[in-house]
Amino acid sequence: MKGPGFIGAGRGWLCRPPSASGFSLVELTVALAVGAFCLMTIMALLPVGLQSSSVSRGDSVATSIMNAVVSDLRATGPTSPLGSSTTSQEFGIPIPASGTTSQTTLFFTSDGASSSVANANSTYQVTITFLSTAGGRAATPAVAKVTWPVNATAKANASSVETLVALDRN
């Protein structure tokens, strides 16, 4: 039986009809090179994506902590007599009397647990600075800043979120 695609007896090669199509070795080599280039590009971008995801997570947690601290400060009602010092309910942040300044530092873990001293699990540091006012019926201004990680050796390694809060305690 002889014909197209038949390995002829004693011939030792495959006979193909002239209309048969296939890929040449050059075409396969080019296709593999293009595929390898695409895979290398994707693999090179993977660490960038992971780092971006990590930074985004840190920003989200810091913003949540900032919201909790600001909510705690705003939930602290007017004092009697008006403008005297008080302490916030949830985090125990001392709010000074009108016309005075103070600064308080809290430390938070990744899961939101707070502490007044840094420990091995502390990731975020919150600094609340109360600014002096003229006294009377003025709002109490405060600057709240969240920085992370707590143990950053240089400012270049730290990230931060900062906001200004005006508390109506009168």
Side-chain angles (χ1 to χ4, degrees):
M1 204 174 150
K2 295 200 180 227
F6 177 72
I7 298 177
R11 293 170 64 186
W13 63 82
L14 178 63
C15 296
R16 290 190 179 168
S19 64
S21 62
F23 295 107
S24 69
L25 187 56
V26 173
E27 291 171 329
L28 288 174
T29 303
V30 169
L32 285 174
V34 168
F37 178 76
C38 291
L39 282 174
M40 286 191 312
T41 304
I42 290 171
M43 294 304 278
L45 291 175
L46 190 61
V48 174
L50 292 174
Q51 181 181 9
S52 176
S53 174
S54 175
V55 168
S56 176
R57 184 183 183 286
D59 288 348
S60 295
V61 172
T63 302
S64 295
I65 290 171
M66 177 71 73
N67 286 337
V69 168
V70 169
S71 295
D72 181 37
L73 291 173
R74 288 194 173 149
T76 304
T79 58
S80 180
L82 294 177
S84 60
S85 63
T86 188
T87 303
S88 71
Q89 295 174 352
E90 185 176 351
F91 297 113
I93 300 168
I95 301 172
S98 293
T100 60
T101 62
S102 75
Q103 187 171 7
T104 301
T105 303
L106 296 173
F107 299 92
F108 287 81
T109 62
S110 305
D111 58 0
S114 67
S115 171
S116 59
V117 294
N119 59 41
N121 296 328
S122 297
T123 306
Y124 299 89
Q125 177 178 338
V126 179
T127 305
I128 302 108
T129 305
F130 291 94
L131 306 174
S132 179
T133 60
R137 291 196 44 93
T140 303
V143 176
K145 183 174 185 178
V146 179
T147 55
W148 71 96
V150 169
N151 58 359
T153 56
K155 292 289 183 189
N157 294 337
S159 297
S160 65
V161 175
E162 189 171 2
T163 190
L164 175 67
V165 182
L167 305 171
D168 183 13
R169 301 181 324 126
N170 297 311

